[in-house]
Amino acid sequence: MAQSEKTTDPASTSASASTSVDMTHPQIMKALSGLMLGMFVAILSSTIVSNALPQIISDLGGTQSSYTWVVTAALLSMTAATPLWGKLSDLFSKKLLVQISLVIYVLGSVVAGMSQNTGTLIACRVVQGIGVGGLSALAQIVMAAMISPRERGRYSGYLGAVFAVATVGGPLLGGVITDTEWLGWRWCFYVGVPFAIIALIVLQKTLRLPVVRRDVKVDWLGAFLISAAVSLLLIWVTQAGDSYEWISWQTWAMTGGSVVLALLFVLVESRASDPIIPLRLFRNKTITLASTASLFVGIAMFSGTVFFSQFFQLARGESPTMSGILTIPMIGGLFVSSTVSGQVITKTGKWKVWLVSGGVLLTAGLGLLGTLRHDTPYWHIAVYMALTGLGLGMMMQNLVLATQNQVAPEDLGAASSVVTFFRSLGGAMGVSALGAVMAHRVTDYVRDGLTALGPKAAAAMGQNGTAGGGIPDLDKLPAPIREVIESAYGHGVGDVFLYAAPFALLGLVLVMFIKEVALKSKPAVHSPAAASAGASPGGTAGADEVADTTVKA
């Protein structure tokens, strides 16, 4: 994977580029096999711990805030790293970057499984998030480099299917591992490592992509500023109302600091020769609308996967394994809609109707989930989850497709990562804010319930180790108090979805204003711009290596 020193004849390069357009379906699937396996690892890492988290936080002595931060830390680092991975993909070997992402993920996973406290676990989740951010962003970028927008809907559907399988398989596998005494929750972090190693080997043998030769400079200052702005904002959202009041000097300092860092980022990007996020992209109305809509889709997507585990385990007393099984309707909806929409878009070239329909279903699903209580009939919950999954499947991949269809080849990586960045940012902000809301609502509902039971109930709560914001162990609680806890978590999770629904509605409004543009019939790397830039030929051992590129760091 070292850089190649050989030079390439422009004429032969152009010829190679034009002839490799006609890849057959089996050839494309072979080339994407390692990428999809890597994507499977990325999604698995974020979903496999969802049903194990209540047990993990309980064993490590964490609180509801710790629970939220274990999820938010990975989302935060993934969000901050995504634009950088996207920019690097425009400069370096995409295959090399995917492999580096997998190595980072493996290292973070191994150490996370050895964690003895929540602080170590959260730090390891940051490392995992950096790797997962690379895999998530690069999967879309590599597909766009190989496949035309018109055909990409079909393969995006396959990617959506991988997403759905990993999303449903992760919680189930995590639940089984957690419930198996001779394994335990630590194996939730170890189990993805073999898949990552296999993906590394398959990628090395199957993925061949040309790399554009350019004199470039990596925008490290821009990467730092956007990371710092997002991090400071999320720390404020998580701690406000708990460690300090919402209206306080800490709030003004953190929000003001985040705004200042964001303005500095815009200033740096406007002057950078190779900005990490080219601001000119936002002159395109479609990119601006799709990115903002992705922000709201991210809030809905991650809030659904994070808080359902708490609902089924703490509001309904289910095991981690059963908790995963009960979320199948949502994953089934996502699987069906992402696959079907991709196939139909490839045949018709029409994609906007899927975005609008997805926005309607997502808003309706979240609104109905807002009525959740601990005793809501399961068939009601299943219908609401299915609607939410259908909406997510129609919107998630197609927002990226709409963006990729309107950018020049040299901006493909940056544009793709912008949409992924905003989706991850929405997820990180949503989990942080909604997690804080849930913690406060659950506390209020528990207090009201205990007040109704009398002073002896509060004493029993303290004796059973459930006071102070910790995750309760339902099996150790007397029946009346257990009823209070289950009711509080049921109502609290319902409130979370109710607050998430308006954001989905905003996403729907935004996609309605996106203008539908006919999908291009050529992949980005085979366009005239890419050919004239000097792309190296594919199909040889050195096809994915950087040829004669000067990088200034």
Side-chain angles (χ1 to χ4, degrees), residues 217-398:
K217 183 178 180 180
V218 180
D219 182 20
W220 297 112
L221 179 58
F224 168 77
L225 290 173
I226 191 64
S227 301
V230 172
S231 300
L232 190 58
L233 183 64
L234 293 185
I235 291 172
W236 166 69
V237 168
T238 304
Q239 300 296 328
D242 184 15
S243 301
Y244 44 82
E245 296 297 324
W246 284 96
I247 304 299
S248 62
W249 70 265
Q250 291 96 332
T251 290
W252 293 114
M254 290 188 179
T255 54
S258 184
V259 169
V260 170
L261 288 169
L263 291 175
L264 286 174
F265 170 74
V266 172
L267 179 63
V268 168
E269 295 303 275
S270 66
R271 298 181 176 182
S273 58
D274 247 312
I276 191 170
I277 299 180
L279 298 182
R280 67 179 183 279
L281 293 177
F282 294 100
R283 298 172 188 166
N284 186 305
K285 183 179 177 181
T286 295
I287 295 176
T288 302
L289 291 173
S291 299
T292 311
S294 290
L295 180 78
F296 300 129
V297 171
I299 294 175
M301 180 176 72
F302 288 103
S303 63
T305 57
V306 169
F307 296 110
F308 268 129
S309 60
Q310 284 193 303
F311 175 78
F312 286 118
Q313 292 181 52
L314 299 178
R316 299 176 81 95
E318 302 289 353
S319 68
T321 302
M322 184 55 68
S323 179
I325 293 173
L326 293 174
T327 58
I328 287 178
M330 184 177 75
I331 309 307
L334 192 154
F335 179 90
V336 170
S337 62
S338 62
T339 305
V340 172
S341 65
Q343 296 283 355
V344 176
I345 287 172
T346 296
K347 292 180 179 179
T348 65
K350 304 292 184 181
W351 46 265
K352 183 174 179 179
V353 64
W354 294 99
L355 287 178
V356 175
S357 300
V360 171
L361 292 173
L362 182 59
T363 304
L366 288 175
L368 291 169
L369 285 171
T371 65
L372 283 187
R373 300 296 181 266
H374 76 290
D375 56 355
T376 301
Y378 176 70
W379 74 268
H380 288 184
I381 302 173
V383 171
Y384 305 159
M385 286 192 294
L387 290 174
T388 303
L390 287 169
L392 285 173
M394 292 180 187
M395 296 190 76
M396 200 165 52
Q397 303 292 341
N398 293 327

